[in-house]
Amino acid sequence: MAKQQPVYSAQQEQQLMLELWSPEIYQSPLNFALFAYPWGKPNTPLEHHKGPRGWQKETLTEITKHIKANDLKAAQRSLPEMWRSADASGRGIGKSALVSMLCDWFRTTRLGATTIVTANTEQQLRSRTMAELGKWTAMAINSHWWEVTAMSVRPAEWFGDAVKRDLKIDLGYWYTSAQLWSEEAPDAFAGIHNHHGVMLIMDEASGIPKPIWTVSEGFFTEPIPDRYWFVFSNPRRNSGSFFECFHKDRNFWRCRNIDSRSVEGTDTNTFNKIIAQYGAESDEARVEVYG
């Protein structure tokens, strides 16, 4: 791929870096999202949107509280806590959009950090999760910082060179990467350790088997403040690790169930038809609508 150049002047680029690396954005993925994407701008995919959806804002705001709590622990010389959250939902609430915002914020503000994204199937990962991530990265105000491929987002050559030269940060593990898994060889999924920060996102997590969850625990053994594990799914199974996030393991996760009808921007008529067709107590209504 040809070398990608900045789209701003050197002065504008410096100002953009100062803004994106400011405490207001470093500590707040919500502030990042509001600043980085073209909300309400004509002729963009966000032309008719003023900002993230309500449930997305809740998550982004809770992360800010988590970061500030860890800052307080650092001042008290206590070990930082790790973030773990599990969201079960109906269809169409904007899970992939939130995943994209999180990835862009983490990669932008945690220089050198690693983000791993996985899903229940290769098709889901390639054609949906990573495709959505690429769309949001392309809309970001700092899109020119990154080189986007089908399965990863990494620093563009000019940007990576500048960060390595001026900030002495190793680029080897600085990326957002889609990672496939094999239940027969779960250890192949393991091995990520990065003192700059680690984020793991499981999309459609109810279909990811227990051995992959088990090896994923190893990503977070270092006592660093920037450790994030997000799992999202429609609750399609009444067993497995995602199910246990809301039952046996509930004390270890920030759990939330999201009814699609409660989310702005969704077609409530479609969900009401599912309920009418299959019944209010049906599995279809519980999975596709109630979450």
Side-chain angles (χ1 to χ4, degrees):
M1 182 175 288
K3 187 174 182 179
Q4 194 172 9
Q5 297 292 338
V7 297
Y8 302 132
S9 68
Q11 184 177 3
Q12 290 173 321
E13 197 68 60
Q14 184 179 33
Q15 182 60 35
L16 178 61
M17 292 176 180
L18 288 173
E19 290 179 301
L20 286 172
W21 296 338
S22 67
E24 291 78 14
I25 285 178
Y26 183 90
Q27 291 187 321
S28 173
L30 177 57
N31 286 346
F32 170 84
L34 293 172
F35 176 80
Y37 302 114
W39 304 104
K41 186 175 181 180
N43 302 315
T44 72
L46 299 178
E47 179 177 2
H48 302 296
H49 302 273
K50 296 181 179 179
R53 290 176 171 178
W55 78 272
Q56 296 166 342
K57 287 182 179 179
E58 289 177 10
T59 298
L60 299 174
T61 300
E62 285 301 311
I63 294 171
T64 297
K65 295 178 182 178
H66 168 79
I67 292 170
K68 291 182 176 179
N70 270 345
D71 287 346
L72 182 60
K73 286 180 178 293
Q76 298 170 343
R77 298 189 176 183
S78 300
L79 289 177
E81 290 190 7
M82 173 187 162
W83 173 280
R84 293 174 182 240
S85 62
D87 287 353
S89 71
R91 285 288 177 186
I93 69 165
K95 296 190 299 291
S96 295
L98 178 61
V99 166
S100 301
M101 294 179 214
L102 291 169
C103 289
D104 283 346
W105 164 74
F106 198 65
R107 194 178 58 253
T108 293
T109 59
R110 272 62 181 169
L111 304 185
T114 300
T115 304
I116 298 296
V117 182
T118 194
N120 62 331
T121 66
E122 181 175 349
Q123 181 181 6
Q124 169 76 26
L125 188 57
R126 287 182 181 273
S127 64
R128 298 181 186 176
T129 308
M130 291 304 293
E132 184 77 2
L133 197 157
K135 182 185 80 173
W136 281 83
T137 299
M139 289 192 292
I141 195 171
N142 62 329
S143 61
H144 58 290
W145 289 10
W146 315 112
E147 180 180 292
V148 181
T149 66
M151 295 290 278
S152 71
V153 183
R154 298 174 182 270
E157 185 179 355
W158 72 268
F159 181 55
D161 288 347
V163 169
K164 186 175 182 179
R165 180 188 65 245
D166 298 338
L167 302 178
K168 312 303 180 187
I169 292 177
D170 182 16
L171 307 181
Y173 295 98
W174 186 16
Y175 51 74
T176 300
S177 179
Q179 189 160 334
L180 305 176
W181 51 265
S182 167
E183 188 172 4
E184 290 72 31
D187 288 346
F189 190 77
I192 295 298
H193 296 278
N194 188 341
H195 67 274
H196 293 296
V198 176
M199 177 183 287
L200 173 62
I201 297 174
M202 291 180 166
D203 194 11
E204 295 301 338
S206 65
I208 299 176
K210 182 179 178 63
I212 305 305
W213 289 68
T214 301
V215 298
S216 296
E217 297 277 359
F219 289 15
F220 306 107
T221 54
E222 297 180 35
I224 58 174
D226 287 312
R227 294 174 292 171
Y228 296 89
W229 191 354
F230 298 90
V231 296
F232 302 93
S233 194
N234 304 110
R236 297 195 171 279
R237 293 170 173 80
N238 59 5
S239 64
S241 294
F242 183 74
F243 176 83
E244 295 301 349
C245 289
F246 297 83
H247 297 86
K248 178 174 65 69
D249 298 331
R250 187 178 184 89
N251 290 338
F252 304 108
W253 294 86
R254 300 167 184 255
C255 299
R256 180 168 49 173
N257 296 82
I258 304 171
D259 188 317
S260 295
R261 298 169 299 173
S262 70
V263 176
E264 65 272 31
T266 60
D267 185 353
T268 55
N269 288 332
T270 295
F271 296 119
N272 287 333
K273 287 178 182 177
I274 292 174
I275 295 170
Q277 180 177 356
Y278 295 100
E281 299 302 320
S282 65
D283 288 342
E284 289 81 3
R286 293 179 184 279
V287 172
E288 307 293 343
V289 182
Y290 309 148

